[in-house]
Amino acid sequence: MTFRARLFVAFLLTVLLPMIVLALFVRREMTDRLTSQYERRVESLVAGIERDLAQEGERIAGSVVALRKLLAEDNRFRRAAVDRVENERRYLLDYAGEAMQVAGLSMLQIQDEDGRILSSGHFRNEYDRLDPDLPRLLASTSTGTALVLARAPDARFLALARVDSIRIGPKRFLLVAGLRVEPGFLTRLSRGADLTVALVYPGGELTSTVEEPDPRTDATGPSTEIRAARGTRGGKSVSEEIVRELTLPFIESDRGEVSLARLRVSHGLSELSALRRSVDRYFLVAGLAAALIAIVIASSLSSRISRPLVELADRTSRVDLDRLDVDFETARGDEIGVLSRVLSEMTGRLRASAVLIKDAERRATVGELARQVNHDVKNGLAPIRNVFRHLAELAANDPRQLPRVFQERQGTLDSSISYLENLASNYARLSSRGEPLPIDVNDTAHRVVMDRKGLEGVELLTEPGDLGGRRVRGDPVSLRRVLENLVSNAMESIDSRPGRVTVSTVLVPGEGDEPRIRITVADTGAGMSEDELSRIFDDFFTTKETGTGLGLSIVRRLVMDLGGTIRVESEKGKGSRFHVDLPATGAR
Amino acid sequence: MLSCNLAGTVGAATVVVLLAACGKPPPIDSVPTAPPACEILPPPLIMPDTITVAIFERVAPELAPWGHNAGEEQLFHHLYETLVTVDCVGRVAGGLAGSWRSEDDGRRWDFELSDDARFWDGGRVSARDVVESWADALMIDTGVDSVGVDGDRVVRVYFEEPQRDLPLIISAPAFSVAKRAASAVWPLGSGPYEVGFPDEVAPEGGPLGEPFSGAGRAIELRPAFGGERPVIRFIEASAKDARDLLEGPVDLLMTADPTVIEYASGNPRLVTVPLPWEKTYVLLSTARVLELSSDRSPAALPPEFLAVLSRDAVRGAARGSHAPFWWDDVYACRALADSGRARGGPRNTGVSSDPRRILYDADDPTARDLAERIVALAATDPAVSSEAAAIASAVPGLVGRLPVVVAQGVAQRELDRSLRAGDDLAYIVSLPYRPPLPCADLGRLFDRVPWIAGLGSRVSSALVPLVDTRATAIARRDKFGMICDWHGNVLILGETGKGD
């Protein structure tokens, strides 16, 4: 992870973590408090509804009591209902309708003991219909008040009803009275926009949010229907709403039984959800702002801190014994400036040491070289001395054998002389000669390759790159010697035919604005091991049986004299690649 | 619904007896008189100067002389005359015509105008005036084929069908005679009264110096031709409580509201007089028609059922309908029977997805009462209710099926639309009790309910008669006299005892 990334993550964590914790805490606290408040409201409303229902029941009861009193004193009713006077029949039929309106009721039917309807206020022409179950079931409820589905000419309607009776003369009459239960009734109970009161009864549901029903509905169902039932919650708070229920008796006169209707009071949590969403939104905005700020600060800090460090690291990576001219000068006064100056001093010391090392290396090389020359010359002279001793002995002892023995030993002399000549040539390559000249690298490589063509089974290729007219300034002979040596080594490394040796050039970026020319000699030969790679440029190290071991050390020396560097990439069994980077001069 | 007052009771009872005989074709009487039996209120010895009549509809003078609502008919009846008049028992008397005769086997009737047939301005009523007055009436199906004149005094009327007896349609308000003047609001008439402000209707507000409940415009009628009659002031009253009007200065109003009638019956200053039967309510059932089309014979409703229905279910003056009905003999309307008016069956065929409603005119309380009673019986077990059993026999599929039938009051336009298509299970509609020309009304009924037209002779079975209804005249006692004619229109009697 980069320094910039670490900075960014650190800032984010520093700002966002506390913010997230705060948001979670605020949300939870808000939820808990509001939920408690809503629950209290619902509980309070349920209690209020219970009182209201009780009051409505009492109101109905009060109306019925008043009606009983009027009935008892009404002679026309007595004549019609008890005495069955025909002239008063219409009075009887109309009685319940007028009484219902006066009493403020929505439902009123007067029945005889058999349950026959004598007069109906909500359905005037329903007279003579038998309905014994309704008053019986109403009387069987514990509170005397129950919900019923009353029939009207155009549809059924839900009513809260009670039953009472009156005895007039020898006859007993039943009074079933009630108030219509409609969405407006429930809305009045709800007393608030957030609170919904729903009445769920067998066959339908009524809520305080439903509009007045269309009277042209299916007569089998209640006229106050629709809305999918929400399902019993059992008094628990759920994610969408807080629900409390109370039950009411419901008369199913068609089935002759009393069941239960549920009055469900619910408080929507939409307000709470809206609050939560607002809080989330604000915290999200704050989080994004914090992230943005973190990005900006991290970028700014990294620019001020990590970039110089990266630059320092880059410069430091270029430091090499062959490249000690890297500049660490800086005007910064901070820790990076201190580090830069330390590195600069270190580089200076390295440069001094490199000079000493080079001198020592040179001296060592010269010493080694002298020892090696001594060794090689002695090796070359030894056979010659031996031959001359043999010939001297023969000249002293048996001169007649001299021509034969000279004939026989002449090859040895030739071989030793050749060896000494070859040695002399190799040693001559150790020192450059000639003034520095602009060298066309592509041309030199081409010539070297052309001169070396003809080796059977080895393909020798050149891939001259676009050098933009740039050249290398130095001894052309040295460059040629370098290429000859590398090409020769490459071809000799290909022990299994066929193989390929490629000499390519390319312009690569160098330090500052000056590019460098890279000459690559690649082969598909045997490759080198790690150990061999580490010693490849050592003097007198060779992997060949007849090698002097000076080839690559000489190449390295020549490359350094040309102001360049050399490195090698190799893999055992696959081949090697020698890269020579030389400073390029401007285009012609 | 009879008045408690003895005189009124006797008078009303007389009228009831007489009206019970209604329905028979009247004999031709060439010497017309106004029989006292049609005097529903005898005139007092001393007439007041002004009589105030409340009407509950707005009067449009531009429609005169042919009234299109009860108020207009009442008012126009005092202003405009017909060639002949027919009293409550069907006796014909001369109006503007002094004599008449039939020609061409009754296809043509000639009416000769009497010498004293004059308009209010004194101008003689000519045959051409008569023909021009009838322009609107001739555009509807009245049975009159064409009219012509023979000179200045004879009006020739050609009928589509031969008329053995004088066609009563000629006495209908549609055939009243009036003469339009270009600048006048009211056309000239020849009746016993003329409009007090011929060029305008009296301004808004009560003309009696103090406002009274529900008062609108006042239209004053003054005796024409210098007659010694009281002024009649017609007040356009709103639909508010008519009892308030009777407590005020109103002397006469017509109503079917049982509450008002009951109030008047108990008021010694008022007299209630039932008017001739006006409407017959019938039940039209798509299911019954489909049964008839399949040559099955659903039962009729028994008279006792109808009697109880009229007594208990209807809150106005009603009686159970009984035969004969004017639509019984459809073949008497030859052109109608031959017209091949069958136009397909009703859209409601009784499948489960079809609506199960009994529709009625939402503005008709009697229709509502009948529909609701039938709905109540539809939900009753026929095994325990004879009424439910009777209705179940008369209307197949009505009782004991789900979904339960409901009653629905709708606007007239919606009712007509549904009737025409036969969309619903059943309908409660009102028909004229005694139309002047039954064949014309039958034709109109076929246009309104095309899915009964193809039943041929069984058309009469498609209509299930329920109750007849009528209005009641409530008048201030001993203030004026009234007579009624064949069409149910009342005429306030002046001092001479005739509205001539």
Side-chain angles (χ1 to χ4, degrees), chain B residues 25-332:
Chain B
I28 298 174
D29 188 350
S30 60
V31 183
T33 58
C38 291
E39 230 175 47
I40 54 177
L41 271 184
L45 293 175
I46 299 173
M47 292 286 288
D49 294 331
T50 305
I51 297 171
T52 304
V53 180
I55 54 177
F56 299 101
E57 300 88 7
R58 196 161 180 83
V59 174
E62 61 271 20
L63 297 180
W66 182 11
H68 287 72
N69 56 51
E72 285 176 349
E73 285 180 0
Q74 248 189 295
L75 192 151
F76 295 166
H77 190 57
H78 289 76
L79 300 175
Y80 307 104
E81 294 179 295
T82 51
L83 293 182
V84 298
T85 62
V86 181
D87 67 9
C88 63
V89 295
R91 288 158 59 91
V92 178
L96 288 171
S99 61
W100 48 88
R101 62 179 179 276
S102 68
E103 299 288 344
D104 194 15
D105 287 333
R107 280 188 185 275
R108 189 188 96 199
W109 283 76
D110 293 343
F111 297 86
E112 186 171 358
L113 295 170
S114 63
D115 292 333
D116 57 355
R118 293 182 186 278
F119 289 112
W120 302 324
D121 61 357
R124 294 187 78 183
V125 177
S126 69
R128 188 153 301 281
D129 292 331
V130 173
V131 170
E132 287 175 358
S133 298
W134 290 357
D136 289 339
L138 294 176
M139 293 179 69
I140 64 170
D141 187 5
T142 59
V144 175
D145 185 53
S146 62
V147 293
V149 299
D150 182 10
D152 197 40
R153 310 305 303 159
V154 175
V155 178
R156 286 209 166 122
V157 183
Y158 297 87
F159 291 91
E160 293 173 352
E161 300 287 335
Q163 305 292 325
R164 187 175 67 86
D165 301 315
L166 176 65
L168 302 183
I169 191 68
I170 295 298
S171 68
F175 287 89
S176 299
V177 177
K179 185 174 183 180
R180 287 219 170 265
S183 58
V185 174
W186 292 91
L188 275 179
S190 60
Y193 284 91
E194 60 181 331
V195 179
F197 308 100
D199 293 330
E200 63 183 45
V201 177
E204 300 277 348
L208 302 179
E210 55 185 40
F212 54 90
S213 171
R217 297 187 305 174
I219 302 169
E220 196 170 271
L221 304 188
R222 294 178 181 163
F225 310 111
E228 298 268 338
R229 302 186 193 93
V231 169
I232 304 176
R233 182 171 290 129
F234 282 85
I235 304 296
E236 289 177 341
S238 70
K240 291 188 180 176
D241 199 334
R243 290 175 291 183
D244 294 336
L245 298 173
L246 293 169
E247 285 291 335
V250 168
D251 300 313
L252 172 65
L253 58 84
M254 315 297 181
T255 183
D257 188 338
T259 307
V260 177
I261 296 170
E262 186 186 33
Y263 162 77
S265 299
N267 189 327
R269 291 176 297 162
L270 301 172
V271 59
T272 58
V273 181
L275 295 174
W277 294 104
E278 189 179 3
K279 297 180 185 177
T280 298
Y281 284 83
V282 299
L283 172 67
L284 270 169
S285 163
T286 53
R288 185 179 172 91
V289 167
L290 289 172
E291 288 279 302
L292 291 168
S293 300
S294 305
D295 288 331
R296 288 191 283 269
S297 300
L301 291 171
E304 52 273 19
F305 171 88
L306 298 177
V308 171
L309 190 72
S310 65
R311 182 195 68 192
D312 295 342
V314 177
R315 283 172 273 191
R319 67 175 185 184
S321 296
H322 52 84
F325 302 102
W326 55 266
W327 56 77
D328 277 345
D329 187 7
V330 68
Y331 281 112

Side-chain angles (χ1 to χ4, degrees), chain A residues 248-267:
Chain A
L248 292 171
F250 179 79
I251 306 293
E252 293 188 73
S253 51
D254 291 345
R255 295 168 61 179
E257 58 186 32
V258 179
S259 57
L260 285 180
R262 285 182 158 67
L263 201 63
R264 183 182 300 142
V265 180
S266 58
H267 193 307

Side-chain angles (χ1 to χ4, degrees), chain A residues 24 32 38 61 216 283 318 453 471-472 488 535 577 587:
Chain A
L24 289 173
D32 289 347
Y38 294 159
R216 292 185 297 170
F283 274 112
R318 293 202 299 268
K453 267 194 183 301
R471 299 184 176 216
V472 172
S488 178
R535 302 177 59 192
R577 296 168 66 84

Side-chain angles (χ1 to χ4, degrees), chain B residues 253-457:
Chain B
L253 58 84
M254 315 297 181
T255 183
D257 188 338
T259 307
V260 177
I261 296 170
E262 186 186 33
Y263 162 77
S265 299
N267 189 327
R269 291 176 297 162
L270 301 172
V271 59
T272 58
V273 181
L275 295 174
W277 294 104
E278 189 179 3
K279 297 180 185 177
T280 298
Y281 284 83
V282 299
L283 172 67
L284 270 169
S285 163
T286 53
R288 185 179 172 91
V289 167
L290 289 172
E291 288 279 302
L292 291 168
S293 300
S294 305
D295 288 331
R296 288 191 283 269
S297 300
L301 291 171
E304 52 273 19
F305 171 88
L306 298 177
V308 171
L309 190 72
S310 65
R311 182 195 68 192
D312 295 342
V314 177
R315 283 172 273 191
R319 67 175 185 184
S321 296
H322 52 84
F325 302 102
W326 55 266
W327 56 77
D328 277 345
D329 187 7
V330 68
Y331 281 112
C333 306
R334 194 173 307 128
L336 198 67
D338 293 342
S339 69
R341 292 192 182 206
R343 294 169 208 169
R347 201 177 291 170
N348 189 312
T349 55
V351 297
S352 58
S353 58
D354 285 337
R356 285 177 61 78
R357 301 188 302 178
I358 300 179
L359 289 193
Y360 59 90
D361 183 352
D363 293 329
D364 190 334
T366 300
R368 181 199 63 214
D369 290 339
L370 292 168
E372 290 184 358
R373 182 57 185 161
I374 293 172
V375 162
L377 291 174
T380 304
D381 185 359
V384 300
S385 167
S386 59
E387 288 181 84
I391 202 72
S393 299
V395 184
L398 182 68
V399 179
R401 277 183 58 186
L402 291 176
V404 177
V405 178
V406 295
Q408 186 69 54
V410 296
Q412 184 67 49
R413 188 187 306 175
E414 168 64 20
L415 181 64
D416 288 339
R417 186 206 62 77
S418 179
L419 255 178
R420 199 170 301 116
D423 280 340
D424 283 277
L425 182 63
Y427 305 86
I428 304 293
V429 297
S430 66
L431 302 176
Y433 173 71
R434 191 176 54 193
L437 204 64
C439 293
D441 278 73
L442 196 59
R444 276 193 285 275
L445 181 62
F446 284 173
D447 289 336
R448 197 177 175 202
V449 193
W451 37 274
I452 66 172
L455 289 174
S457 62

Side-chain angles (χ1 to χ4, degrees), chain A residues 357-373 376 426-427 429-431 485 532-543 547-558 560 566:
Chain A
I357 289 171
K358 280 185 182 174
D359 285 341
E361 191 179 57
R362 188 173 291 114
R363 282 195 297 275
T365 301
V366 168
E368 267 306 307
L369 183 61
R371 280 192 294 276
Q372 188 66 34
V373 167
D376 288 343
N426 282 344
Y427 282 132
R429 293 195 189 114
L430 289 176
S431 64
N485 199 289
E532 290 167 346
L533 269 179
S534 66
R535 302 177 59 192
I536 193 66
F537 291 109
D538 292 349
D539 291 334
F540 311 115
F541 174 78
T542 181
T543 58
T548 60
L550 287 176
L552 286 179
S553 68
I554 294 170
V555 164
R556 178 166 168 269
R557 171 69 57 202
L558 293 174
M560 287 176 66
I566 184 169

